[in-house]
Amino acid sequence: MDPSSSAAQPAVHQPRRTPAKTVDSVVPISAETRAILKRQTDHEYLTSADLPDELSLVDCLDLVDVSAFGTVHTLNLSGCTGIVDVSALGSVETLNLSGCTAVADVSALGAVKELNLSDCTSVVDVSALGRIDTLNLWGCTGVRDVSALGTVKELILARCTSVVDVSALGQIEELILSDCRRVVDVSALGAVRTLSLVRCRQVVDVSALGKVHTLNLSSCTGIVDVSALR
């Protein structure tokens, strides 16, 4: 899988297909954010109820306030390095925060179905993200404890160089550990369906991986005995 599959796309506007929001859920959009929306989409939006189902605001370095975006279904904010607070985005179904390097607290995002946090280097605590279907943490070098992520269906931990213990991840369907150079023990991963250990050079023993359906051991130079994989 290409970890950049949710890479930057041009700003898009899609008409809202979901029912109109109740008065209580309507959030006014700040003047600064309205100006950015106008610049990027050529549309005027005054409140959260006016926003489309799909919104892409890629590389908007001056975007800070996203408190009105919680009603959007599919939201791409990749490369928006000014964003810090994403606590209002917990109801977004597909959320791309790739490269949002100022985002640290993602505890409110546990109900998102597909979440891309690749290169969010300030993120450390991912304990609230265990219910997400597809979680991309590629390059999140601050993440160390992944014990709460065992129920994620598809998990990308490529280049998460602080991760050591992957013993809780044995029930994940697709697990990408490429370039996780501190991972040594993979004995708990025998039930994973698709597993990538590319360039995991500290891994030596793969005797427990014989039932993995798709296994990538490219450049795992510490592995000598692969007899259990035949």
Side-chain angles (χ1 to χ4, degrees):
M1 171 172 296
D2 182 357
S4 60
S5 59
S6 299
Q9 299 294 327
V12 296
H13 168 85
Q14 296 290 339
R16 177 169 289 284
R17 295 180 295 278
T18 52
K21 305 301 175 184
T22 65
V23 173
D24 291 341
S25 69
V26 173
V27 178
I29 301 173
S30 67
E32 294 82 2
T33 302
R34 289 203 310 269
I36 294 168
L37 286 165
K38 175 64 175 176
R39 182 186 74 211
Q40 296 297 114
T41 70
D42 199 31
H43 286 79
E44 295 279 2
Y45 301 107
L46 298 179
T47 72
S48 57
D50 303 323
L51 292 168
D53 280 337
E54 298 183 19
L55 183 63
S56 181
L57 298 172
V58 173
D59 292 331
C60 293
L61 305 185
D62 53 342
L63 179 63
V64 175
D65 181 8
V66 295
S67 59
F69 291 172
T71 59
V72 176
H73 179 280
T74 301
L75 181 60
N76 187 349
L77 299 174
S78 60
C80 295
T81 54
I83 297 173
V84 175
D85 185 358
V86 294
S87 60
L89 305 182
S91 295
V92 176
E93 290 198 20
T94 301
L95 178 59
N96 187 347
L97 295 173
S98 175
C100 292
T101 52
V103 170
D105 183 358
V106 294
S107 60
L109 304 181
V112 175
K113 290 185 177 179
E114 182 175 343
L115 179 60
N116 187 341
L117 293 174
S118 59
D119 283 324
C120 289
T121 50
S122 295
V123 171
V124 175
D125 184 358
V126 293
S127 60
L129 306 182
R131 294 181 297 161
I132 291 175
D133 288 340
T134 301
L135 178 59
N136 187 343
L137 296 175
W138 188 89
C140 290
T141 53
V143 173
R144 178 182 177 88
D145 183 359
V146 294
S147 60
L149 304 181
T151 54
V152 174
K153 293 180 180 178
E154 181 181 335
L155 179 60
I156 300 173
L157 294 175
R159 296 192 182 180
C160 288
T161 52
S162 296
V163 171
V164 177
D165 184 358
V166 295
S167 60
L169 307 181
Q171 300 303 313
I172 291 177
E173 293 180 13
E174 182 172 350
L175 179 59
I176 310 299
L177 294 173
S178 304
D179 293 298
C180 289
R181 60 185 181 221
R182 298 185 66 190
V183 170
V184 177
D185 184 357
V186 294
S187 60
L189 305 182
V192 174
R193 180 170 178 80
T194 299
L195 177 61
S196 175
L197 295 172
V198 173
R199 288 181 296 277
C200 290
R201 296 188 173 96
Q202 298 302 313
V203 173
V204 175
D205 183 1
V206 292
S207 59
L209 305 183
K211 293 184 179 180
V212 174
H213 183 271
T214 304
L215 178 62
N216 191 339
L217 298 175
S218 298
S219 299
C220 289
T221 53
I223 297 172
V224 177
D225 183 3
V226 293
S227 60
L229 306 181
R230 296 169 184 167

